[in-house]
């Protein structure tokens, strides 16, 4: 499976029509992602909507297969699907491959591209808060899911 570019800009296509994005999970209605992405879109003056898609584990493959046909451009993935979607991707970023979990999927003409933004995002936040100083301290990770793997 070839690696996809780690740059996610190709998921964003402000082309004059409303772009649809969302988050897949179960349950997912408690997620703050729709609110955060709508706020970001408004601040950046992007014509997009971001909606929650509650998808049960047994329906994940069928849901992913149908989303591109509906014009959905990309989705974020949360529990319990981060690891389950991995084998359904046509391409994986180096981060998703190394972590063994996907939290962002871009639908392209070539197929589904799986990415993982958890580790780079976490490291960026640590570096903003501490510089490189955090590297000298031991750390404990609490959790066992895709974000903990990152």
């Amino acid at each position: 499976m070839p690696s996809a570019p780690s740059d996610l800009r190709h998921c964003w296509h402000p082309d004059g029509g409303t772009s649809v994005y969302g988050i897949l999970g179960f349950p997912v209605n408690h997620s703050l992602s729709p609110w955060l992405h709508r706020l970001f879109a408004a601040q950046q003056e992007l014509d997009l909507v971001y909606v929650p898609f509650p998808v049960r584990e047994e329906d994940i493959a069928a849901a992913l297969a149908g989303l591109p046909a509906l014009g959905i451009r990309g989705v974020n993935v949360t529990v319990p699907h981060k690891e389950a979607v991995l084998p359904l991707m046509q391409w994986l970023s180096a981060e998703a491959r190394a972590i063994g979990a996907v939290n962002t999927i871009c639908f392209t003409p070539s197929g589904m591209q799986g990415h993982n933004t958890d580790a780079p995002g976490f490291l960026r936040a640590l570096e903003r808060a501490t510089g490189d100083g955090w590297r000298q301290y031991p750390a404990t990770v609490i959790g066992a899911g895709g974000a903990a793997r990152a």
Side-chain angles (χ1 to χ4, degrees):
M1 181 181 311
S3 291
S6 58
D7 184 350
L8 296 175
R9 285 180 290 177
H10 60 277
C11 275
W12 299 89
H13 299 281
D15 58 7
T18 301
S19 299
V20 181
Y21 300 89
I23 182 166
L24 298 177
F26 197 85
V28 74
N29 291 334
H30 66 283
S31 174
L32 295 177
S33 290
W35 180 82
L36 290 170
H37 283 83
R38 289 178 195 147
L39 178 64
F40 170 79
Q43 290 174 342
Q44 300 299 312
E45 298 181 4
L46 298 173
D47 186 10
L48 67 86
V49 295
Y50 186 98
V51 295
F53 295 111
V55 178
R56 295 185 182 278
E57 288 181 70
E58 61 271 17
D59 296 327
I60 190 65
L64 282 176
L67 291 175
L70 295 171
I72 310 295
R73 296 196 182 260
V75 292
N76 291 121
V77 182
T78 190
V79 294
H81 306 311
K82 287 186 175 191
E83 295 165 13
V85 301
L86 201 66
L88 303 173
M89 300 296 105
Q90 282 75 46
W91 293 273
L92 289 172
S93 68
E95 294 85 0
R97 188 183 313 277
I99 293 166
V102 168
N103 74 348
T104 303
I105 299 172
C106 295
F107 300 113
T108 72
S110 319
M112 290 184 280
Q113 295 183 350
H115 302 267
N116 192 302
T117 62
D118 287 331
F122 181 71
L123 289 174
R124 193 168 324 151
L126 271 179
E127 288 169 358
R128 282 184 182 157
T130 67
D132 278 338
W134 65 270
R135 294 179 188 270
Q136 65 185 326
Y137 298 105
T140 300
V141 175
I142 299 173
R149 288 173 141 202

